[in-house]
């Protein structure tokens, strides 16, 4: 039933480690996104992929690398984790409708990353 | 550039009171979408409503209602007879309508934390 799922829900790791967060959507959407929510709850776009092609890459350190093996999956790999990477990461997806109109973005449950 | 301002950082109301959450936006686009999302204490982001900029009709869904006024660039959200389960952070967001494969993204406000006290 889950539309947009993320694993893991919680991730606790040491500084300097490399970690991945996985996202899958079963809505048949053609575009997927990663957002970061900081400690003050502010949500900001990080990446957007359309049909496995990178569309948006907002000023995110290149330690963050999104990977989209297919339309239904968008994973986020983070190298050399830093304290400031601690945040909640949300995956989302949406569909391009006829006439070039974008449909609503639906979000996954979030992954809380804590870097010690 | 797009911008969304939610001036109320935190609001507390007593159960059964009505409460209005303010949202003011800036955009150069002539057509755009406005959204409200709810983030309960459990952390997920729940979609509440989407409004297209050319549809200024107010909308009511149960205890929730939305007032869209293009003249003041505002899209306010009112909860009538608030309940404890309404306690959450509420986000207003803005996006373009047409994107093709372009840079479609949501621009969020900073959120308003609503606490409903029993």
């Amino acid at each position: 039933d889950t539309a947009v799922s993320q694993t893991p829900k919680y991730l606790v790791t040491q500084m300097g480690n490399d970690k991945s967060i996985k996202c899958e959507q079963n809505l048949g959407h053609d575009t997927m996104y990663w957002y970061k929510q900081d400690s003050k709850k502010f949500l900001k776009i990080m990446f957007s992929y359309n049909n496995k092609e990178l569309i948006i890459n907002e000023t995110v350190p290149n330690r963050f690398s999104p990977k989209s093996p297919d339309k239904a999956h968008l994973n986020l790999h983070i190298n050399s984790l830093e304290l400031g990477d601690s945040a909640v990461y949300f995956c989302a997806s949406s569909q391009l409708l006829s006439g070039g109109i974008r449909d609503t973005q639906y979000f996954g449950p979030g992954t809380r990353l804590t870097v010690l | 550039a797009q911008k969304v301002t939610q001036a109320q950082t935190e609001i507390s109301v007593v159960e059964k009171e009505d409460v209005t959450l303010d949202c003011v936006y800036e955009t150069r686009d002539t057509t755009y979408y406005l959204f409200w999302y709810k983030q309960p204490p459990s952390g997920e982001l729940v979609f509440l409503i989407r409004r297209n900029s050319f549809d200024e009709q107010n909308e009511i869904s149960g205890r929730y209602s939305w007032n869209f006024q293009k003249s003041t660039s505002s899209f306010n959200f009112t909860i009538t007879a608030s309940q404890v389960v309404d306690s959450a952070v509420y986000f207003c967001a803005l996006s373009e309508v047409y994107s093709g494969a372009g840079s479609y993204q949501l621009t969020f406000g900073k959120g308003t934390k609503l606490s409903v006290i029993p």
Side-chain angles (χ1 to χ4, degrees):
Chain A
D1 262 346
T2 307
V4 183
S5 60
Q6 294 178 229
T7 52
K9 188 164 173 61
Y10 300 97
L11 186 51
V12 181
T13 188
Q14 299 286 334
M15 247 181 2
N17 284 349
D18 303 339
K19 289 293 178 187
S20 291
I21 305 172
K22 294 186 176 181
C23 177
E24 176 181 2
Q25 53 95 4
N26 62 7
L27 298 167
H29 289 169
D30 62 0
T31 306
M32 296 183 72
Y33 312 80
W34 279 108
Y35 285 83
K36 179 180 179 180
Q37 185 174 42
D38 64 22
S39 58
K40 295 185 179 178
K41 297 280 193 181
F42 185 57
L43 278 152
K44 194 171 188 314
I45 184 81
M46 297 174 69
F47 300 102
S48 163
Y49 263 76
N50 177 266
N51 282 322
K52 301 196 299 174
E53 183 185 342
L54 180 64
I55 301 298
I56 297 174
N57 182 348
E58 292 290 309
T59 50
V60 176
N62 57 15
R63 298 182 295 102
F64 290 79
S65 53
K67 286 185 172 52
S68 182
D70 55 59
K71 245 176 42 167
H73 296 84
L74 180 63
N75 303 325
L76 183 64
H77 190 76
I78 316 169
N79 289 329
S80 304
L81 278 155
E82 300 177 357
L83 293 176
D85 298 330
S86 294
V88 180
Y89 293 85
F90 285 97
C91 177
S93 72
S94 72
Q95 178 62 32
L96 179 63
L97 304 175
S98 59
I101 297 173
R102 273 287 158 194
D103 202 1
T104 299
Q105 284 186 30
Y106 293 93
F107 286 79
T111 296
R112 181 175 293 277
L113 171 65
T114 303
V115 182
L116 303 174
Chain B
Q2 298 185 328
K3 185 178 177 183
V4 176
T5 302
Q6 294 180 254
Q8 304 148 310
T9 308
E10 291 193 44
I11 301 177
S12 288
V13 299
V14 176
E15 206 171 16
K16 297 185 184 174
E17 284 184 350
D18 299 347
V19 58
T20 296
L21 309 182
D22 297 333
C23 173
V24 173
Y25 62 91
E26 295 173 30
T27 180
R28 292 179 188 169
D29 295 327
T30 52
T31 54
Y32 46 89
Y33 283 138
L34 292 162
F35 301 82
W36 278 94
Y37 285 85
K38 174 182 179 180
Q39 187 173 39
S42 49
E44 71 272 24
L45 279 164
V46 178
F47 165 72
L48 295 179
I49 189 172
R50 182 185 79 189
R51 265 343 237 176
N52 193 312
S53 55
F54 54 74
D55 180 3
E56 286 193 69
Q57 272 195 323
N58 291 331
E59 180 147 345
I60 297 174
S61 175
R63 296 183 297 106
Y64 294 173
S65 61
W66 291 270
N67 183 344
F68 176 31
Q69 293 200 341
K70 227 170 170 177
S71 59
T72 55
S73 298
S74 65
F75 185 44
N76 296 338
F77 173 29
T78 297
I79 302 174
T80 303
S82 58
Q83 299 176 1
V84 172
V85 293
D86 296 326
S87 297
V89 179
Y90 291 86
F91 292 94
C92 182
L94 169 69
S95 78
E96 59 199 12
V97 172
Y98 301 99
S99 74
S103 58
Y104 173 81
Q105 60 178 287
L106 284 169
T107 298
F108 282 91
K110 293 188 175 180
T112 297
K113 182 177 180 182
L114 174 65
S115 299
V116 181
I117 303 161

